[in-house]
């Protein structure tokens, strides 16, 4: 319960930091995902973000209307859309990136690096344990 409660509080605080910077958590994750690849198609992007294609389409439509990205059909496969950031998208990415860095710094304040490293190891072990399927009886 402690992990779930902490995760929820941190996620809400991060979302608030994104809103304060002029964005949202879904906007940040989408910009980050597009930025991390030269070109990403919508199907791959939805998988990277962990949302359904229809939800991603809604986000992309809004971002395209705001002038943050462009979509075009892949010449090799007309069913696939390629997604790229515009200049405005790059500027929003940078603004939200700085807000994310500031949030991370605030979140880690007062915690020594060695404790953070140990915590990262504990989180990795928790993820691994959660992925282990119990034996069938």
């Amino acid at each position: 319960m402690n992990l779930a409660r902490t995760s929820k509080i941190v996620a809400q605080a991060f979302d608030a930091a994104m809103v304060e910077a002029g964005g949202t958590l879904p906007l940040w994750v989408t910009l980050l995902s597009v930025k991390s690849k030269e070109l990403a198609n919508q199907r791959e992007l939805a998988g990277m973000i962990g949302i359904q294609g229809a939800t991603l389409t809604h986000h992309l439509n809004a971002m395209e209307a705001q002038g943050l990205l462009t979509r075009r059909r892949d010449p090799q496969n007309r069913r696939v859309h390629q997604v790229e950031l515009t200049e405005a998208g790059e500027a929003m990415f940078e603004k939200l990136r700085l807000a994310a860095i500031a949030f991370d710094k605030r979140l880690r304040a007062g915690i020594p690096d060695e404790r953070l490293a140990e915590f990262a190891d504990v989180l990795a072990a928790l993820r691994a344990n959660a992925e282990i399927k119990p034996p069938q009886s």
Side-chain angles (χ1 to χ4, degrees), residues 42-43 45-47 49-60:
Q42 287 185 215
R43 186 176 307 118
L45 192 54
I49 296 171
I51 60 175
Q52 298 295 319
T55 302
L56 177 64
T57 299
H58 172 74
H59 289 304
L60 293 177

Side-chain angles (χ1 to χ4, degrees), residues 15-99:
D15 190 41
M18 291 292 101
V19 169
E20 188 177 315
T24 63
L25 183 56
L27 176 65
W28 166 243
V29 172
T30 303
L31 290 172
L32 182 62
S33 296
V34 172
K35 180 77 173 169
S36 70
K37 287 187 156 189
E38 190 92 3
L39 285 175
N41 70 52
Q42 287 185 215
R43 186 176 307 118
E44 290 173 350
L45 192 54
M48 286 172 60
I49 296 171
I51 60 175
Q52 298 295 319
T55 302
L56 177 64
T57 299
H58 172 74
H59 289 304
L60 293 177
N61 286 342
M63 293 172 69
E64 192 170 31
Q66 294 169 14
L68 300 175
L69 57 82
T70 60
R71 290 181 286 182
R72 62 181 171 80
R73 297 226 182 250
D74 184 333
Q76 305 303 317
N77 183 348
R78 302 282 301 153
R79 294 175 295 166
V80 173
H81 284 91
Q82 299 291 335
V83 182
E84 295 179 303
L85 297 184
T86 62
E87 273 188 48
E90 293 282 352
M92 178 60 79
F93 171 81
E94 186 59 23
K95 187 176 181 183
L96 296 181
R97 185 184 74 81
L98 293 174

Side-chain angles (χ1 to χ4, degrees), residues 110-120:
I111 305 172
D113 288 344
E114 53 278 353
R115 289 197 62 206
L116 288 170
E118 182 180 348
F119 182 60

